């Protein structure tokens, strides 16, 4: 019973922390741009503001537009149930790594459909670009998951986490590190960060992810934005839990849990800094250069699998 | 211009053309030729092509009260000289039509469409006779710049639609963007025809910011006109008011020497804050926010410096007819000069940040290229022209204010892409800083204002200024009671907008905002 409660607390923490992570990245970026920046809790206020507002829905849109925000939110909540953050307990029996990948795919599929639904130009452009990016990055994600699955002999994320976390440093090898690197590129690509997309632009013609949300407003927009924030948090958490989970609590004792929580927060912060530094030190890539980067991620993941068999 | 020079030009014409010239005279550095209506287009094309001239302005004047005709005025700048050729012709107000110049001089295109809208002059043989500045539902027989059209008149709006060029083919889509955009920018409609991401065609539709500026000038005295000029195109306030004042002073007397130096300094301070905004915008549009903020911080400091010197961040309220209102006292010089040095150092840092980042180079190189041929055909001006190898700068070619006494370089590059425009603008920033230092360092003593009281009726004059966006013209003919009979404004953007349509071809849609930003044109200045 205790493990179930812990798993639920963990999911609740992930869901609650999501806007904070976005706020922290924005704050860090602002500092690097010599700006003061909005407070790190600003995303909560933004979401609260949007939740109070009504939604304007295009007359030409169908039920797809209406249900997409809920589909996105629900898939993200379900995904959050599967991801171990500070303790190796989760409702992992619901699904494994593959399910996780397709929960993200479902979000993307519905978002892209909703963007096409109202028939606006920008939505169509956003969908087509998002599909370009995802078709290139999804194989990389799957391959990097296969690497850890091969290393640990299971596809359940909780088992992966606990096996790596308990087996010490012996598992650290080219396979794990290459897969981790591939997944880091996926974190940027899947979450509309520079150099793939620009999360802070107002230029519709250059947008990828944001272009798909242009038709949304008010509460629906809040749900879509919140789903994106949760998605980013989940990706960052998975990057650690699936590849370098050391520090996570593998047994339910107070010291282990305390350490797990502290290490988890430190890990979140570390990747927030990494993302902020990457976003501050380079320009966005030309759209047709993206395949170079994304197939690069695929190659890393491929090498990870190869090195498991060869080395 | 000398008499003999005019004779050279006239002798170069075939006899059937020179016979059509009704009168000729030299006025200062201008050669005035009055041509018969039927030969106007040929004479213009002859001078334009043989003497490598470029259009400075081309507009109509409703002169029905004085001589019962509509006049057509074409001002050409002769290549490599400070001189201008002014071609005049008159047409019957009952049948106001003339042979279009556009087939021979591509740059005349928008001028003729504008004339058609505002004065009802019909360019016969124009390849694209659609309206340019008036609203879609404006009745076509109403021409607001005619003298018998009262400015207060409300016209009956008639719904109609504008026909866009269509590109057809398998997989070709249209992307209409604007006129209302997501950012806080001016209105303009961009219609892309794309095959996937590559752009096959772009059609730019402007006119949404048309507000009857030229009509408004006719109702204001010259003294008040300065304030209107300052508000034509927000960030180019000083250039516009300077061109306006120069036009009026050309009919009366020039400003004192100290005022000319101060104007030079302020004009360059304006260029500095505008170009800093431009280069920051380019960095922002490639999502390199750190560099963008560097530029915006510098721009903010430049604006603060303007405020310190003139009490106005955008340098408004300084120019007035016959000089300037604001002096720069010696005790303000020190802070000014040290700010400028700081700016120069920061600019160096900005340049190394931008050009040291490979991903920025990758985005800017070869993006949105404008060839030299296009630049010449469309008569591009300013940094956009200079980035495409067209070496022209009003400050050097037709010196005004105190530029004759300044030593500066006109940076020119030949690639014509976004990066070339970025580099030209960065180089110009350094030149501008140096010009401010020279102008303020060698401030002559004396008065700063020699007020213009009265403007005689029936005079014409022209003020040419190199605004941060390029050659800017205010052309005026005085009417009664110190008001212009007609005041023509031609912003740099009016020429440069058309280059965007060719610059984007073959580029991909997500690169358009970057190309647009590298031009950074004014909608308000173009639509008037």
């Amino acid at each position: 019973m205790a493990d179930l409660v812990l798993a639920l607390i963990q999911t609740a923490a992930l869901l609650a922390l999501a806007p904070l992570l976005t706020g922290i990245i924005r704050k860090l970026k602002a500092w690097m741009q010599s700006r003061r920046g909005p407070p790190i809790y600003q995303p909560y206020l933004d979401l609260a503001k949007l939740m109070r507002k009504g939604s304007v829905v295009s007359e030409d849109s169908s039920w797809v537009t209406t249900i997409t925000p809920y589909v996105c939110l629900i898939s993200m909540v379900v995904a959050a149930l599967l991801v171990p953050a500070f303790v190796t307990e989760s409702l992992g029996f619901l699904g494994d790594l593959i399910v996780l990948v397709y929960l993200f795919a479902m979000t993307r599929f519905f978002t892209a459909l909703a963007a096409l639904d109202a028939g606006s130009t920008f939505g169509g452009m956003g969908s087509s670009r998002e599909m370009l990016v995802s078709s290139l990055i999804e194989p990389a994600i799957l391959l990097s998951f296969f690497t850890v699955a091969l290393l640990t002999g299971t596809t359940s994320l909780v088992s992966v986490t606990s096996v790596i976390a308990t087996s010490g440093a012996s598992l650290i090898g080219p396979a794990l590190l290459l897969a981790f690197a591939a997944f880091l590129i996926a974190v940027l690509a899947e979450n509309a960060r520079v150099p793939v997309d620009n999360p802070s632009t107002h230029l519709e013609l250059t947008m990828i992810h944001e272009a798909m949300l242009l038709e949304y407003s008010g509460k629906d927009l809040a749900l879509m934005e919140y789903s994106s924030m949760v998605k980013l948090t989940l990706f960052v958490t998975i990057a650690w839990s699936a590849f370098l989970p050391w520090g996570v609590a593998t047994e339910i004792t107070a010291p282990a849990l305390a350490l797990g929580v502290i290490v988890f927060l430190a890990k979140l912060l570390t990747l927030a800094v990494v993302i902020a530094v990457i976003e501050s030190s380079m320009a966005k890539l030309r759209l047709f250069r993206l395949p170079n980067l994304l197939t690069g991620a695929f190659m890393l993941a491929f090498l990870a699998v190869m090195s498991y068999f060869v080395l | 211009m000398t008499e003999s020079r005019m004779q050279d030009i006239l002798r170069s014409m075939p006899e059937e053309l020179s016979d059509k010239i009704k009168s000729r005279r030299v006025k200062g550095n201008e050669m005035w030729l009055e041509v018969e209506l039927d030969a106007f287009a040929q004479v213009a094309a002859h001078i334009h092509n043989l003497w490598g001239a470029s259009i400075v302005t081309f507009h109509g004047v409703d002169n029905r009260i004085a001589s019962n005709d509509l006049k057509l005025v074409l001002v050409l700048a002769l290549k490599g000289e400070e001189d201008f050729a002014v071609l005049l012709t008159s047409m019957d107000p009952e049948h106001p039509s003339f042979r279009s110049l556009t087939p021979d001089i591509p740059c005349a295109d928008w001028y003729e469409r504008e004339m058609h809208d505002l004065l009802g002059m019909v360019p016969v043989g124009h390849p694209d006779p659609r309206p340019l500045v008036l609203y879609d539902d404006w009745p076509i027989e109403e021409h607001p710049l005619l003298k018998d059209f009262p400015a207060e008149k409300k016209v009956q709006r008639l719904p109609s639609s504008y026909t866009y060029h269509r590109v057809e083919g398998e997989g070709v889509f249209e992307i209409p963007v604007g006129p209302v955009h997501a950012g806080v920018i001016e209105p303009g409609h961009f219609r892309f025809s794309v095959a996937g991401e590559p752009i096959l065609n772009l059609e730019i539709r402007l006119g949404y910011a048309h507000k009857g500026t030229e009509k408004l000038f006719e109702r204001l005295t010259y003294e008040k006109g300065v304030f209107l000029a300052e508000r034509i195109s927000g960030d180019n306030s000083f250039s516009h008011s300077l061109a306006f004042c120069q036009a009026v002073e050309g009919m009366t007397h020039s400003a004192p020497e100290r005022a000319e130096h101060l104007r030079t300094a302020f004009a360059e301070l304006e260029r500095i804050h505008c170009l800093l905004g431009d280069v920051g915008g380019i960095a922002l549009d490639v999502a390199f926010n750190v560099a963008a903020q560097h530029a915006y911080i510098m721009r903010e400091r430049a604006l603060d410096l303007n405020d310190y010197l003139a009490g106005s961040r955008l340098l408004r309220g300084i120019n007035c007819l016959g000089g300037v209102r604001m002096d720069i006292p010696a005790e303000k010089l020190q802070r000014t000069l040290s700010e400028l040095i700081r700016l120069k150092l920061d600019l160096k840092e900005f340049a190394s940040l931008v050009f040291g980042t490979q991903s920025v180079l990758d985005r800017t190189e070869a993006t949105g290229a404008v060839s030299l041929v296009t630049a010449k055909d469309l008569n591009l001006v300013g940094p956009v022209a200079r980035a495409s190898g067209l070496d022209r700068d009003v400050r050097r070619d037709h010196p005004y204010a105190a530029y004759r006494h300044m030593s500066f370089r006109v940076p020119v590059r030949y690639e014509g892409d976004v990066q070339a425009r970025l580099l030209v603008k960065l180089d110009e920033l350094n030149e501008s800083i140096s010009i401010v230092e020279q102008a303020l360092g060698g401030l002559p003593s004396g008065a700063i204002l020699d007020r213009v009281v009265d403007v005689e009726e029936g005079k014409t004059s022209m003020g040419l200024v190199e605004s941060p966006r390029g050659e800017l013209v205010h052309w005026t003919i005085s009417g009664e009671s110190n008001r212009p009979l007609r005041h023509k404004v031609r912003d740099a953007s009016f020429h440069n907008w058309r280059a965007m349509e060719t610059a984007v071809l073959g580029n991909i849609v997500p690169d358009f905002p970057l190309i647009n930003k590298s031009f950074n044109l004014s909608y308000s200045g173009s639509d008037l």
Side-chain angles (χ1 to χ4, degrees):
Chain A
M1 191 59 203
D3 45 354
L4 189 64
V5 172
L6 266 178
L8 289 177
I9 290 176
Q10 179 167 255
T11 303
L14 280 174
L15 294 176
L17 281 179
L20 189 66
L21 182 69
T22 303
I24 290 173
I25 294 178
R26 285 187 194 159
K27 188 78 176 177
L28 288 168
K29 281 176 69 182
W31 280 344
M32 289 177 210
Q33 296 165 16
S34 357
R35 288 190 295 121
R36 200 172 298 149
I40 53 172
Y41 54 83
Q42 186 67 40
Y44 293 102
L45 302 181
D46 290 346
L47 289 176
K49 177 190 73 184
L50 287 173
M51 285 305 287
R52 282 199 305 271
K53 292 193 168 191
S55 284
V56 180
V57 181
S58 162
E59 285 170 14
D60 302 316
S61 63
S62 67
W63 55 274
V64 174
T65 303
T66 324
I67 66 157
T68 295
Y70 301 100
V71 171
C72 291
L73 183 70
I74 291 168
S75 1
M76 284 307 114
V77 172
V78 173
L81 287 170
L82 307 180
V83 177
F86 54 84
V87 60
T88 50
E89 296 292 343
S90 75
L91 303 185
F93 55 84
L94 285 174
D96 57 7
L97 281 168
I98 314 294
V99 169
L100 206 52
V101 170
Y102 287 100
L103 279 173
F104 292 126
M106 181 155 84
T107 320
R108 188 162 50 232
F109 174 73
F110 269 92
T111 313
L113 267 193
L116 291 170
D117 193 30
S120 84
T121 4
F122 300 124
M125 285 194 304
S127 302
S128 105
R129 290 173 189 165
E130 177 91 351
M131 285 302 135
L132 168 77
V133 171
S134 64
S135 66
L136 290 167
I137 200 65
E138 209 171 89
I141 298 179
L142 278 171
L143 270 186
S144 54
F145 281 169
F146 288 160
T147 312
V148 286
L150 285 168
L151 282 169
T152 56
T154 169
T155 57
S156 156
L157 183 53
V158 182
S159 315
V160 167
T161 308
S162 56
V163 170
I164 302 182
T166 47
S167 66
S170 63
L171 271 179
I172 298 186
L176 197 59
L177 294 177
L178 285 169
F180 181 61
F183 195 78
L184 279 188
I185 298 180
V187 171
L188 297 177
E190 280 280 335
N191 292 289
R193 316 303 302 191
V194 177
V196 177
D197 195 1
N198 183 359
S200 57
T201 187
H202 65 264
L203 302 166
E204 313 101 322
L205 289 171
T206 69
M207 291 173 178
I208 299 181
H209 182 72
E210 289 286 308
M212 299 195 295
L213 307 187
L214 287 176
E215 287 292 324
Y216 280 110
S217 56
K219 206 167 77 185
D220 290 342
L221 180 62
L223 295 182
M224 297 297 276
E225 296 270 7
Y226 179 63
S227 306
S228 306
M229 292 172 189
V230 175
K231 187 177 173 190
L232 175 65
T233 314
L234 289 180
F235 263 87
V236 169
T237 312
I238 294 170
W240 290 113
S241 299
F243 302 96
L244 306 171
W246 288 281
V248 70
T250 47
E251 55 201 57
I252 305 176
T253 60
L257 281 176
L259 181 72
V261 169
I262 293 170
V263 171
F264 170 62
L265 292 177
K267 282 172 171 176
L268 272 192
L269 198 61
T270 312
L271 265 193
V273 173
V274 170
I275 291 175
V277 169
I278 291 175
E279 294 210 306
S280 298
S281 55
M282 67 191 300
K284 184 180 150 181
L285 290 178
R286 217 180 267 248
L287 184 67
F288 287 159
R289 293 266 176 176
L290 283 183
N292 297 3
L293 176 77
L294 303 180
T295 48
F298 176 76
M299 279 319 293
L300 288 174
F302 183 69
L303 286 174
V305 176
M306 284 286 114
S307 69
Y308 169 78
F309 288 112
V310 176
L311 296 178
Chain B
M1 171 170 293
T2 58
E3 192 73 32
S4 65
R5 184 81 184 123
M6 178 167 79
Q7 293 304 334
D8 284 348
I9 294 171
L10 291 177
R11 261 200 302 276
S12 74
M13 281 181 206
E15 213 159 276
E16 67 265 26
L17 286 187
S18 53
D19 285 350
K20 299 279 190 178
I21 294 175
K22 287 197 283 192
S23 76
R24 61 197 69 174
R25 71 196 155 97
V26 170
K27 191 185 134 198
N29 60 352
E30 293 168 2
M31 166 183 80
W32 285 62
L33 301 177
E34 212 181 327
V35 188
E36 281 183 35
L37 181 61
D38 55 348
F40 187 77
Q42 285 121 295
V43 173
H46 177 86
I47 297 181
H48 182 271
N49 297 336
L50 192 69
W51 295 86
S54 56
I55 295 189
V56 174
T57 168
F58 182 28
H59 56 269
V61 180
D62 178 7
N63 204 27
R64 282 179 297 175
I65 297 163
S67 56
N68 194 32
D69 63 353
L70 296 174
K71 290 239 187 290
L72 205 53
V73 181
L74 170 67
V75 182
L76 293 166
L78 299 175
K79 193 184 178 185
E81 303 173 40
E82 281 187 29
D83 300 334
F84 300 97
V86 183
L87 269 60
L88 291 173
T89 190
S90 59
M91 59 181 91
D92 179 5
E94 299 303 314
H95 310 284
S97 65
F98 62 101
R99 203 183 117 188
S100 167
L101 272 59
T102 311
D104 296 312
I105 310 174
C107 170
D109 185 349
W110 277 21
Y111 283 106
E112 289 179 345
R113 287 171 68 183
E114 184 191 51
M115 242 180 263
H116 190 178
D117 282 7
L118 300 179
L119 286 152
M121 300 168 151
V122 184
V124 179
H126 192 288
D128 180 14
R130 294 174 298 173
L132 181 73
V133 288
L134 295 181
Y135 301 111
D136 280 344
D137 56 358
W138 186 274
I140 43 167
E141 66 281 359
E142 297 281 0
H143 304 292
L145 261 189
L146 289 175
K147 288 288 173 191
D148 50 12
F149 183 98
E152 299 80 9
K153 184 172 171 183
K154 294 255 184 295
V155 298
Q156 183 72 43
R157 297 303 182 90
L158 301 165
S160 73
S161 64
Y162 185 85
T163 39
Y164 291 94
H165 296 305
R166 288 193 70 88
V167 179
E168 283 172 357
E170 202 185 321
V172 177
F173 286 89
E174 262 187 7
I175 309 178
V177 182
V180 178
H181 301 277
V184 185
I185 57 168
E186 292 180 83
H189 182 80
F190 301 91
R191 190 165 284 235
F192 299 90
S193 299
V194 296
E197 296 286 355
I199 301 170
L200 299 179
N201 186 47
L202 164 64
E203 198 175 345
I204 298 176
R205 173 109 202 267
L206 299 178
Y208 300 96
H210 178 68
K211 51 218 163 296
T213 309
E214 291 175 343
K215 186 83 176 175
L216 205 51
F217 270 116
E218 292 172 13
R219 288 151 52 89
L220 294 175
T221 59
Y222 277 118
E223 199 185 347
K224 296 246 171 73
V226 182
F227 300 109
L228 179 57
E230 279 175 347
R231 279 149 186 85
I232 288 176
S233 175
D235 53 353
N236 286 186
S237 291
F238 193 84
S239 299
H240 270 283
S241 63
L242 181 56
F244 182 89
C245 290
Q246 283 176 13
V248 178
E249 286 158 16
M251 300 185 288
T252 53
H253 55 80
S254 53
E257 211 186 337
R258 188 176 171 88
E260 298 284 36
H261 272 75
L262 289 169
R263 280 175 171 181
T264 308
F266 283 128
E268 293 307 316
L269 285 169
E270 176 175 270
R271 195 180 320 280
I272 289 170
H273 82 71
C274 285
L275 293 184
L276 282 172
D278 286 9
V279 296
I282 292 176
L284 191 69
D285 281 8
V286 297
F288 192 27
N289 294 29
V290 172
Q293 296 301 336
H294 270 280
Y296 290 146
I297 291 169
M298 286 190 273
R299 176 169 185 268
E300 195 58 31
R301 288 214 313 267
L303 290 169
D304 276 347
L305 180 64
N306 292 346
D307 187 33
Y308 170 70
L309 288 174
S312 161
R313 285 159 59 86
L314 292 171
L315 301 170
R316 290 182 183 165
I318 300 171
N319 268 319
C320 72
L321 301 179
V324 291
R325 279 175 227 274
M326 220 79 67
D327 203 351
I328 298 183
E331 62 266 22
K332 284 194 174 178
L333 285 184
Q334 189 171 359
R335 178 174 153 191
T336 309
L337 295 177
S338 65
E339 268 297 326
L340 291 175
I341 290 169
R342 192 169 154 209
L343 198 58
K344 226 187 293 188
L345 295 175
D346 287 353
L347 260 180
K348 208 175 269 180
E349 203 176 308
F350 173 81
S352 64
L353 183 60
V354 166
F355 295 110
T357 307
Q358 186 233 335
S359 49
V360 176
L361 302 184
D362 189 55
R363 286 296 300 279
T364 55
E365 240 167 16
T367 306
V370 179
S371 69
L372 179 57
V373 177
T374 310
K376 277 184 180 154
D377 280 349
L378 297 181
N379 198 358
L380 301 189
V381 294
V384 176
R386 293 191 282 275
S388 292
L390 199 56
D391 186 6
R392 60 189 305 189
D393 189 321
V394 183
R395 293 174 291 173
R396 180 197 62 201
D397 303 337
H398 306 282
Y400 54 94
Y403 284 106
R404 218 176 276 279
H405 310 295
M406 302 294 141
S407 143
F408 60 97
R409 208 168 51 87
V410 176
V412 177
R413 295 193 72 86
Y414 295 86
E415 301 88 345
D417 53 5
V418 171
Q419 191 166 97
R421 290 189 276 278
L422 177 60
L423 283 163
V424 163
K425 285 179 176 179
L426 283 172
D427 283 347
E428 277 182 23
L429 274 165
N430 281 310
E431 295 301 321
S432 292
I433 294 172
S434 144
I435 298 175
V436 179
E437 287 168 346
Q438 292 175 50
L440 294 182
L443 263 187
S445 55
I448 56 164
L449 182 57
D450 180 3
R451 218 172 256 285
V452 169
V453 187
D454 265 322
V455 182
E456 217 178 299
E457 201 183 327
K459 289 199 157 190
T460 62
S461 175
M462 185 170 72
L464 235 73
V465 161
E466 180 77 16
S467 76
R469 295 193 173 91
E471 184 187 85
L472 162 69
V473 188
H474 277 238
W475 184 97
T476 193
I477 173 164
S478 56
E480 53 192 7
S481 63
N482 276 329
R483 287 177 169 81
L485 175 73
R486 168 92 166 90
H487 189 86
K488 167 72 192 163
V489 180
R490 202 271 291 150
D491 192 85
S493 308
F494 193 71
H495 281 187
N496 287 356
W497 267 117
R498 297 185 57 214
M500 189 97 77
E501 293 180 340
T502 52
V504 299
L505 297 182
N507 285 270
I508 54 175
V509 177
D511 279 344
F512 170 76
L514 175 63
I515 299 170
N516 189 13
K517 183 60 80 179
S518 74
F519 278 72
N520 192 24
L521 302 174
S522 163
Y523 299 71
S524 177
S526 184
D527 296 347
L528 295 173

